[in-house]
Amino acid sequence: SELTEEEQRELDEIRRRKEELKREIQQLKDEIRAVTAEMEGMDNVDEKGPDPKAKMANTGRKKFNIDPRKGIDFMVEQGLINDMPEDIGVWLYRTEALDKTKIGEYLGENKEPNLTVLKEFVKLHEFAGMTLVEALRHFLWSFRLPGEAQKIDRMMEAFAQHYCALNEGVFNSTDTCYVLSFSVIMLNTSLHNPSVKNKPSLETFIQMNRGLDNGADLQADLLTTLYDSIRKEPFKIPEDDGNDLTQTFFNPGRQGWLTKEGGKHRSWKKRWFVLTDNCLYYFKSPQHKEPKGIVPLELLQVRDAVEVRKPHCFEIYSNDGLIKACKLDSDGKVVEGHHSTYRICAEGEDDKDEWVKCIKASISRDPFYEMLHQRKKKAQKGH
């Protein structure tokens, strides 16, 4: 039977996409052949040149930048480094022209010798006497953190242990150092990513890190120094393509007008809400720079809610009881919120569904948030 005009268009589109896929597949085949030929050529190193050792070292670097394991195996086979974690760590740390993404890929593997090499690599960083931000600048420049939660956890745990060992007394536990490091990384994103319209203030940064030192607050001077350092100069990221750890925590999410129910006083107020950085911020209006309140979404839940007087409602709630949030009081001071749930109404059913969808995505988009939440609880309890 003859196709309708719309069916013909769909068929033409399928054929066009098929041809496009065939071209992409061929391009990938050509790239694989080129890389294979280059690696085969590397196996036939000309050792009769003016400096065969330097040539082999250069070949080892090239092999590493294609396949880290093969590159290190080649260096060991040629006698250029010893097959010891200490030597491999030094080679990764000190060798110029190694791909920092590949270094991160190798160090992130959950097997030996990679795990021991990671410890040796981290120990080569001289963090003694540095502020946490200075240490993070050095650390995050020496390789590129991978995106997987488990790999990030191992690497940042190694960083926190080494920093605390070289700077005794700065923090009471490595958990505090670990959690504060991620707080600083997220601050870097919030302050310097142009898509984040509402920049956190120093007071907000201090409030978000309350109780981290075995249940006590960190010194305001320490947090002020960290905040000012990041505000003045962002982190420099190797081979920055916008897809690294400092972007992992940024999710522009959604923004718009919603009506929220008060905590102590059950009055309803219209506020401008912004969903970003795994947090829900609300402002008096889009023009205001300082949020009226902040709701960290770590391990919270969201669901539809029925409100007789207000249609199109949803609520954010915690299975652990009170939600740890903060807001500005009438005097402009940051105080802890008193919500066990946040009941919020949208302007329409579609708007409500979209907010619920975006909040769910923000809560669950990365397993690292749960890991970080558990470490934060540990740091606040002090054991």
Side-chain angles (χ1 to χ4, degrees):
S1 61
E2 290 189 8
L3 299 174
T4 64
E5 189 175 334
E6 184 177 348
E7 288 171 337
Q8 185 62 50
R9 279 199 303 271
E10 289 180 359
L11 181 60
D12 291 341
E13 175 61 23
I14 290 169
R15 285 171 175 165
R16 185 196 66 77
R17 183 59 184 146
K18 180 182 176 183
E19 291 302 315
E20 191 177 291
L21 286 169
K22 284 167 70 177
R23 286 195 299 273
E24 290 175 358
I25 290 168
Q26 186 58 49
Q27 184 180 350
L28 285 170
K29 285 181 177 178
D30 293 343
E31 289 175 0
I32 291 169
R33 273 199 295 270
V35 170
T36 301
E38 183 177 357
M39 292 185 73
E40 287 174 351
M42 289 176 186
D43 291 330
N44 302 312
V45 180
D46 179 10
E47 298 184 20
K48 298 177 182 178
D51 190 350
K53 194 171 182 179
K55 276 191 172 185
M56 285 192 292
N58 186 49
T59 299
R61 286 194 294 270
K62 288 182 177 179
K63 281 180 172 286
F64 179 88
N65 290 342
I66 296 170
D67 185 322
R69 182 67 263 171
K70 289 184 179 178
I72 290 172
D73 287 346
F74 177 85
M75 294 294 291
V76 171
E77 288 164 7
Q78 299 299 325
L80 297 171
I81 59 173
N82 294 319
D83 191 12
M84 300 287 291
E86 297 90 337
D87 284 26
I88 296 171
V90 169
W91 185 72
L92 294 176
Y93 184 71
R94 294 183 179 162
T95 303
E96 297 288 335
L98 290 184
D99 185 324
K100 292 185 179 182
T101 298
K102 293 296 183 182
I103 296 175
E105 184 182 306
Y106 178 84
L107 294 174
E109 291 297 323
N110 189 23
K111 61 183 181 182
E112 292 294 356
N114 307 60
L115 292 169
T116 305
V117 172
L118 170 62
K119 292 177 182 176
E120 297 298 330
F121 178 86
V122 173
K123 284 197 296 190
L124 293 166
H125 294 74
E126 295 293 338
F127 294 150
M130 289 186 180
T131 66
L132 184 63
V133 169
E134 289 171 335
L136 282 168
R137 289 191 195 283
H138 284 264
F139 188 60
L140 295 175
W141 183 249
S142 64
F143 69 105
R144 186 177 172 84
L145 274 166
E148 297 91 333
Q150 296 289 343
K151 293 182 179 181
I152 295 171
D153 176 58
R154 285 192 295 273
M155 291 170 161
M156 294 306 294
E157 174 64 26
F159 166 83
Q161 287 185 359
H162 186 51
Y163 181 84
C164 289
L166 295 181
N167 296 277
E168 292 183 9
V170 175
F171 302 113
N172 283 323
S173 73
T174 56
D175 293 312
T176 301
C177 180
Y178 176 102
V179 174
L180 186 58
S181 295
F182 279 104
S183 184
V184 167
I185 289 169
M186 287 186 269
L187 174 70
N188 178 80
T189 302
S190 298
L191 289 179
H192 297 290
N193 190 308
S195 299
V196 180
K197 304 301 181 191
N198 300 290
K199 309 298 184 185
S201 65
L202 170 61
E203 192 170 29
T204 300
F205 179 66
I206 291 173
Q207 176 68 19
M208 295 298 286
N209 290 289
R210 290 179 61 218
L212 274 190
D213 199 21
N214 287 357
D217 292 345
L218 292 162
Q219 291 185 359
D221 287 350
L222 168 67
L223 294 175
T224 301
T225 299
L226 300 180
Y227 181 92
D228 287 342
S229 179
I230 290 295
R231 181 177 56 80
K232 290 173 185 173
E233 184 185 356
F235 287 132
K236 290 175 181 168
I237 305 299
E239 298 111 33
D240 191 1
D241 60 3
N243 186 32
D244 86 304
L245 175 68
T246 66
Q247 306 302 319
T248 299
F249 294 95
F250 174 68
N251 176 13
R254 188 172 176 81
Q255 56 186 357
W257 287 106
L258 295 167
T259 305
K260 68 172 282 292
E261 187 180 35
K264 282 186 176 179
H265 310 290
R266 297 296 178 182
S267 58
W268 292 83
K269 290 184 179 177
K270 196 171 185 179
R271 295 286 184 244
W272 180 259
F273 278 78
V274 176
L275 174 64
T276 184
D277 253 358
N278 198 231
C279 284
L280 190 62
Y281 299 81
Y282 57 92
F283 301 79
K284 193 169 184 179
S285 75
Q287 288 73 40
H288 283 76
K289 300 298 181 186
E290 192 68 31
K292 295 284 290 180
I294 305 168
V295 185
L297 296 172
E298 291 172 312
L299 298 189
L300 297 184
Q301 305 290 326
V302 61
R303 63 191 173 198
D304 288 353
V306 176
E307 179 64 42
V308 176
R309 295 170 298 163
K310 297 278 185 182
H312 322 305
C313 277
F314 62 92
E315 63 183 12
I316 297 167
Y317 64 99
S318 169
N319 290 323
D320 297 331
L322 202 66
I323 294 174
K324 292 182 179 178
C326 59
K327 63 177 182 178
L328 291 179
D329 66 10
S330 56
D331 297 323
K333 294 180 181 177
V334 177
V335 296
E336 200 164 346
H338 298 279
H339 286 267
S340 57
T341 63
Y342 275 85
R343 186 159 285 203
I344 300 169
C345 290
E347 296 186 336
E349 195 66 17
D350 290 344
D351 189 37
K352 181 204 74 174
D353 291 343
E354 194 61 31
W355 271 105
V356 170
K357 175 184 171 185
C358 289
I359 291 171
K360 280 183 178 177
S362 181
I363 290 168
S364 62
R365 74 178 185 277
D366 194 328
F368 191 82
Y369 280 114
E370 185 166 353
M371 203 180 295
L372 187 58
H373 178 78
Q374 295 304 322
R375 290 298 289 267
K376 195 170 184 178
K377 283 173 68 176
K378 192 176 174 187
Q380 289 170 334
K381 289 179 180 177
H383 54 262

